[in-house]
Amino acid sequence: MLEALVHRKRDFVRLATSPAREFLEPFANALAEEQYSHSTIVRCVFAADRLSRWMRLRGQAVRQLDDSIFAAYLRELGRCRRAGQASGCLPTTAAGAQRFFAFLRQSGVTPTPTPAPQTDAERWVASYDQHLERSAGLATGTRQFYCRYARLLLARHFGGQALEWTALTADHLADFVQREAARLKPSASRLPVTAVRAFVRFLVLRGVVRSGL
């Protein structure tokens, strides 16, 4: 799989010598099953490699990755400043790293976090999931799909900080949807639109964002 992902010898050598090398191929296969485009899979794999090399410099193995380590990594990445966005947004490599972290946790590679007080984002996603089940009657798989995009949106914009809903603008939503759609195959490119629209409707119902956003 890795041979099919990259064509330049130096890229293949980098991945083959990555501290995360044993996980990169299963990660790439999992993304392919979710119908991510080839270019997105490549970016995510290199984002995973970058994260693992950062950890190695800190004397940490990939299997030790937890929430605190990942939060430190995101802080070090910093934020991209854009006109009209006071808080900025995380760089694109963060999204690939987030997917890799989720893959490791779902695969049982990294330790499962012990129960702890939920963050604001986690509480909102949990409430959203209940809404999808009780009010919309959606199946488990569909709810997981919608909630995954809700988590990504909150992580992309707020990065673990307090949820200031007034800072969430139409430009932020459009930027997020465009980035996520570009990572998917053309046949699946409207999925982020559907997911984000559903989440925003929920936020409108809760009165935290304005109607029409």
Side-chain angles (χ1 to χ4, degrees):
M1 180 67 174
L2 293 182
E3 293 89 339
L5 279 179
V6 295
H7 304 292
R8 292 186 299 184
K9 182 178 179 179
R10 65 179 183 181
D11 289 339
F12 177 76
V13 170
R14 179 178 179 85
L15 296 181
T17 58
S18 173
R21 59 187 176 277
E22 66 178 294
F23 309 111
L24 296 183
E25 187 164 331
F27 178 45
N29 289 333
L31 292 174
E33 290 177 1
E34 293 186 33
Q35 297 192 37
Y36 283 96
S37 66
H38 178 270
S39 59
T40 296
I41 294 173
V42 171
R43 286 195 295 271
C44 288
V45 166
F46 276 100
D49 168 67
R50 178 176 176 176
L51 169 61
S52 71
R53 291 179 185 276
W54 177 85
M55 290 183 66
R56 183 168 64 181
L57 289 175
R58 291 164 55 98
Q60 298 164 331
V62 173
R63 293 180 183 275
Q64 295 175 285
L65 184 61
D66 59 19
D67 291 322
S68 62
I69 294 174
F70 191 70
Y73 178 68
L74 292 182
R75 286 195 298 271
E76 190 160 314
L77 284 179
R79 286 175 170 265
C80 303
R81 300 293 177 180
R82 294 186 178 182
Q85 297 185 6
S87 60
C89 60
L90 292 169
T92 55
T93 189
Q98 287 167 341
R99 288 188 173 88
F100 183 56
F101 186 21
F103 165 78
L104 293 176
R105 181 157 285 172
Q106 291 167 4
S107 303
V109 174
T110 56
T112 301
T114 55
Q118 289 184 319
T119 64
D120 283 347
E122 290 169 340
R123 283 192 289 270
W124 274 96
V125 173
S127 178
Y128 179 47
D129 184 45
Q130 291 177 355
H131 166 77
L132 293 175
E133 180 181 20
R134 298 173 183 176
S135 300
L138 299 184
T140 301
T142 304
R143 298 200 322 269
Q144 290 175 343
F145 164 77
Y146 277 55
C147 288
R148 179 165 64 86
Y149 274 107
R151 287 190 186 92
L152 282 173
L153 173 63
L154 297 180
R156 175 78 56 78
H157 183 60
F158 298 107
Q161 299 177 4
L163 304 184
E164 295 290 343
W165 294 115
T166 56
L168 188 63
T169 68
D171 286 341
H172 290 133
L173 297 175
D175 179 70
F176 175 79
V177 166
Q178 289 168 356
R179 289 192 185 192
E180 292 303 312
R183 295 186 173 98
L184 297 171
K185 295 179 180 179
S187 60
S189 62
R190 287 194 59 81
L191 295 178
V193 179
T194 303
V196 170
R197 180 182 292 125
F199 185 51
V200 172
R201 285 174 177 165
F202 166 73
L203 297 178
V204 171
L205 286 174
R206 289 302 180 90
V208 294
V209 301
R210 63 178 176 79
S211 178
L213 178 61

